[in-house]
Amino acid sequence: MENSMYSRSYSYGNSINVAAAFPALMRKVYVWMTLALVVTALSAYYVATTPAALYAIFSSKFMFFGLLIAEIVVVMAMTALINKMSFMVAALMMAAYSVLNGVTMSFIFVVYEMASIATTFFVTAGTFAAMAIVGYTTKKDLTKMGGILLMALIGLIIASVVNWFLQSETMSYVVSGIGVLVFTGLTAYDSQKLLQLHAAFPDAGPRIAVYGALQLYLDFINLFQFILILTGGRRRR
């Protein structure tokens, strides 16, 4: 969802000062992203190891889907209103989303062994880092690729919803394979977009840092989940 803050065009001929400030912005982005991942992991682990919380969330479809809807609302609000909200509000919404996502992802600690989760995390981190570097360093404008990936993402969401009803293992693997490709590409695209946003809005650093952390966090989390499903992992008996 685009808005005025993120719709301006970008030129590779921006000033040296802007380019020099970009590494500092990215450090903030990755600090926020790392904190969000830690909060998500701790929230997921807490719920997974607390039977009462686990039962309350997953025994009620109303509760579970309510949490999923809350996640969607928070992401849409942050994306649409990031240029209007204060840095503190954006940070609190980022924290809230991290907790909500951790709660809904808690089943991972119940279904998969810790070794599989850890292995998948490191595979995801390596893939994410490689594609982020591609996004920062490539001279090719990835804007067109972003449009294609967005359409693929919409198709991916529709296919995931359909398979939720069908419960087809084959379709699950196909969707996961496509998901890995889509979010691998989005990691490069979103990384380059941050460079473009920083050049267009050099004075909006704190808000761009939170916005960028949210986008890359979403790429990482989705990439992690799809790789975990695709590889199968070692499930608990």
Side-chain angles (χ1 to χ4, degrees):
M1 187 178 297
E2 295 295 329
N3 53 62
S4 60
M5 182 174 180
Y6 304 117
S7 60
R8 296 186 186 178
S9 61
Y10 168 76
S11 170
Y12 285 103
N14 285 278
S15 68
I16 296 176
N17 289 336
V18 170
F22 183 68
L25 171 68
M26 291 313 301
R27 282 194 293 272
K28 294 178 183 178
V29 168
Y30 283 120
V31 166
W32 277 105
M33 176 185 162
T34 300
L35 288 174
L37 289 172
V38 170
V39 170
T40 295
L42 292 176
S43 300
Y45 186 76
Y46 171 78
V47 172
T49 55
T50 307
L54 200 63
Y55 178 80
I57 294 164
F58 292 99
S59 66
S60 169
K61 289 185 178 180
F62 178 80
M63 174 67 76
F64 181 71
F65 284 105
L67 290 170
L68 289 180
I69 292 172
E71 287 186 54
I72 295 172
V73 170
V74 172
V75 169
M76 291 180 65
M78 286 189 68
T79 303
L81 303 174
I82 188 69
N83 60 326
K84 296 180 181 179
M85 62 180 63
S86 67
F87 169 73
M88 183 59 67
V89 171
L92 289 174
M93 291 185 72
M94 180 73 177
Y97 181 77
S98 301
V99 172
L100 287 171
N101 204 27
V103 170
T104 56
M105 286 180 62
S106 57
F107 72 93
I108 288 177
F109 288 99
V110 178
V111 175
Y112 295 96
E113 293 183 358
M114 286 298 296
S116 291
I117 296 173
T119 299
T120 303
F121 176 84
F122 287 117
V123 170
T124 303
T127 304
F128 179 91
M131 296 312 297
I133 291 172
V134 170
Y136 300 144
T137 59
T138 184
K139 298 301 181 182
K140 183 178 180 180
D141 189 349
L142 302 179
T143 302
K144 290 183 179 180
M145 186 181 81
I148 296 172
L149 290 171
L150 178 59
M151 289 187 291
L153 179 58
I154 294 172
L156 187 66
I157 293 171
I158 294 172
S160 297
V161 172
V162 170
N163 196 46
W164 188 82
F165 292 100
L166 297 178
Q167 293 297 305
S168 169
E169 186 175 355
T170 300
M171 188 173 179
S172 178
Y173 283 123
V174 172
V175 169
S176 297
I178 296 173
V180 169
L181 295 176
V182 169
F183 283 100
T184 296
L186 281 174
T187 299
Y189 168 74
D190 287 333
S191 297
Q192 185 181 85
K193 186 169 69 174
L194 285 176
L195 179 60
Q196 298 170 353
L197 290 175
H198 178 60
F201 302 94
D203 297 326
R207 284 180 295 168
I208 289 179
V210 176
Y211 173 82
L214 173 65
Q215 298 303 312
L216 294 180
Y217 166 89
L218 290 171
D219 293 339
F220 189 99
I221 286 292
N222 283 284
L223 187 59
F224 169 80
Q225 292 185 86
F226 282 124
I227 291 177
L228 187 61
I229 295 171
L230 190 62
T231 57
R234 290 201 298 275
R235 294 175 179 265
R236 294 180 183 273
R237 295 180 180 180

